Amino acid sequence: MAEENGEIILVFASNTIILEVEELLEEKELPFVLIPVPKEVNPNCGLAVSFLEEDKDPILRELDRANLWPQSSYLRKGDDFRDYPVSRI
Amino acid sequence: MLYLDNAATSFPKPQEVIDAITIALNAPASPGRSGHKPALEASRVVYRARKAIAKLFGIGNLERVAFTPNITWAINIALGGIGLKAYDHVLSSALEHNSTARPLALLAEKNIITWETVAPGPDGLLRAEDFASKLKPNTRLVVLCHGSNVTGALAPAKAIKEAIGEVPILLDLAQTAGAMPLEDLGSWADIITFTGHKGLLGPTGTGGLYLKEGIGFQPLAVGGTGSRSESLSQPDFLPDALEAGTLNTHGLAGLAAGVNYLLEKGLDKVREHELNLVSVFLEDISKISKLSILGPGPGILQRVSTVSLNIEGWSSSDLAGALEAEYGIMTRSGLHCSPLAHKAMGTFPGGAVRFSFGLFNTLEEARLAAKALEELSKRKTARKKS
């Protein structure tokens, strides 16, 4: 049985950065969605950036280039959330 | 009605501004406070306003732009956050508005700073070398009203910054933002403060500040920001640190529309138009024998489109009253919240009558205002009410 594809969730310090990320990733036509920050990982009431694990490389590369780096990052598989440290390129 | 009080607030506002505010008012959400689509759209409204301001002033880092209810609030934040300590020396022009002068006076009264002012020359113009010559080893800040709301004199801000070197400069752009190209500021200004409802053509209740990397900050108020909700401490990062409470999203929608309107039109064209208006007006009124102009007169382009004047035999309030009653011309009399500037120009406490032209005024209107002054100058006082 193939392993379930995970979803990466990035939490940023401020709403302003989230919107800068949104603008950048839309401009680069990279696949992502903005979601409410999952309460399982962070009590903030704002938004997080979410995308499939398989799409992470180009997205993280663009974020690194633009110096828009998350405060924390997680991998979600179903109901399971775990820390997913991402490193700058 | 001929509205010539654009230095107080600009009128009319472009239809684009009115439409943007109306659209925002029809959205059911608060920015940065929820995860649903309308909330995200409200956040985008604020983000677009931040981007517009950043573009206007050539600011690279959007996060260093914080919104406030007005420029007074922004100046107070800047003065409170820069880390002034006992007997630091602060230098300002002698043309500062009370939005700056009162907080500086309060800091001086509390013995937190010593405050010194730099006077303009007889022509109303400030000179960079006068700031340099008053610098002390403990000068921690220079505060500069970029355009005088009384005389219209334009301060040589970049030359002053070059003259003071590493000492940070706080620019009050109340009278210049939206009136001229300012996209170079982001490359050299330390602190920029602005209001939304004058030259930027937005609504009242909008303003803000930009702090260069490395400039310290402290909030004047703390509270909800939509970020770090688990903590009882105010976020220590910008812009959230300085934006406690729900932002004026509707107003910021209008501010963004105003700034984008100006950017599309071209700030160089706005500048050219307003200089034309003020030049025609100055040229015409300079022929009136009993009339005295405060500050830069005809032919001096180091100014914005604001002119204050007096006519012999008239109080400023009577003259402004006659202009409205007899010609439908709206001006502002008195001290214009700038007692320092009037003292510097020798018109305290009687003040003057201020004419401030805006983007939507015409050359014909400038001539009409001058003609009204010419007629009134031939009378000794206001007509008695019948």
Side-chain angles (χ1 to χ4, degrees), chain A residues 13-23 26 34-36 42-47 68 71, chain B residues 31-36 40 43-44 47 50-51 62-63 226-230 237-240:
Chain A
S14 76
N15 207 46
T16 307
I17 304 179
I18 284 277
L19 293 165
E20 288 182 271
V21 170
E22 180 189 37
E23 189 173 52
E26 277 181 353
L34 296 183
I35 58 168
N42 192 302
N44 271 345
C45 44
L47 293 160
L68 296 169
Q71 211 174 33
Chain B
R33 299 302 197 273
S34 308
H36 52 73
L40 176 56
S43 296
R44 288 183 183 127
Y47 180 70
R50 231 182 279 283
K51 278 198 77 171
L62 285 184
E63 293 144 45
S227 53
R228 299 229 174 126
S229 300
E230 74 283 9
F237 52 84
L238 291 172
D240 298 34

Side-chain angles (χ1 to χ4, degrees), chain B residues 64-124:
Chain B
R64 307 293 295 186
V65 176
F67 289 118
T68 59
N70 49 55
I71 191 170
T72 298
W73 195 263
I75 289 167
N76 275 269
I77 287 177
L79 291 174
I82 199 163
L84 295 169
K85 58 185 189 307
Y87 299 109
D88 277 348
H89 180 241
V90 175
L91 204 52
S92 79
S93 82
L95 298 174
E96 301 302 315
H97 185 277
N98 274 346
S99 56
T100 303
R102 283 182 173 166
L104 287 174
L106 185 63
L107 288 167
E109 192 182 305
K110 289 181 172 175
N111 290 328
I112 295 172
I113 61 165
T114 57
W115 172 31
E116 203 174 350
T117 60
V118 176
D123 54 2

Side-chain angles (χ1 to χ4, degrees), chain A residues 13-78:
Chain A
S14 76
N15 207 46
T16 307
I17 304 179
I18 284 277
L19 293 165
E20 288 182 271
V21 170
E22 180 189 37
E23 189 173 52
L24 174 74
L25 299 184
E26 277 181 353
E27 186 189 306
K28 300 293 176 187
E29 299 182 339
L30 291 165
F32 74 100
V33 288
L34 296 183
I35 58 168
V37 176
K39 298 299 163 264
E40 291 84 350
V41 300
N42 192 302
N44 271 345
C45 44
L47 293 160
V49 174
S50 171
F51 46 85
L52 294 175
E53 190 178 6
E54 66 192 26
D55 294 324
K56 74 176 190 311
D57 289 341
I59 290 177
L60 293 175
R61 195 178 306 122
E62 292 300 336
L63 295 181
D64 189 29
R65 274 187 195 149
N67 202 23
L68 296 169
W69 205 242
Q71 211 174 33
S72 53
S73 45
Y74 308 91
L75 177 66
R76 175 182 191 170
K77 286 190 175 179

Side-chain angles (χ1 to χ4, degrees), chain B residues 312-385:
Chain B
E312 199 184 307
W314 287 83
S315 72
S316 64
S317 50
D318 276 354
L319 185 54
L323 283 163
E324 179 174 6
E326 298 177 35
Y327 297 91
I329 298 174
M330 311 295 160
T331 59
R332 181 173 170 188
S333 63
L335 294 176
H336 313 99
C337 290
S338 294
L340 289 182
H342 279 282
K343 283 178 183 170
M345 302 312 298
T347 45
F348 182 88
V353 180
R354 183 181 72 184
F355 293 73
S356 46
F357 298 91
L359 179 57
F360 300 109
N361 287 126
T362 63
L363 291 175
E364 189 187 0
E365 289 172 337
R367 290 195 181 101
L368 201 146
K371 180 81 177 147
L373 284 171
E374 188 189 353
E375 288 174 8
L376 290 171
S377 73
K378 291 173 183 162
R379 295 198 345 232
K380 282 197 173 168
T381 187
R383 270 195 193 117
K384 288 198 174 118
K385 285 177 189 163

Side-chain angles (χ1 to χ4, degrees), chain B residues 102-172:
Chain B
R102 283 182 173 166
L104 287 174
L106 185 63
L107 288 167
E109 192 182 305
K110 289 181 172 175
N111 290 328
I112 295 172
I113 61 165
T114 57
W115 172 31
E116 203 174 350
T117 60
V118 176
D123 54 2
L125 299 176
L126 295 162
R127 285 163 177 83
E129 56 270 27
D130 294 339
F131 284 81
S133 68
K134 285 201 169 184
L135 281 182
K136 294 180 178 177
N138 64 335
T139 305
R140 293 284 174 265
L141 183 67
V142 169
V143 180
L144 185 66
C145 166
H146 190 209
S148 168
N149 73 311
V150 174
T151 65
L154 187 64
K158 195 171 184 188
I160 291 171
K161 175 59 185 167
E162 282 163 4
I164 62 173
E166 293 301 306
V167 177
I169 190 165
L170 186 166
L171 295 177
D172 163 1

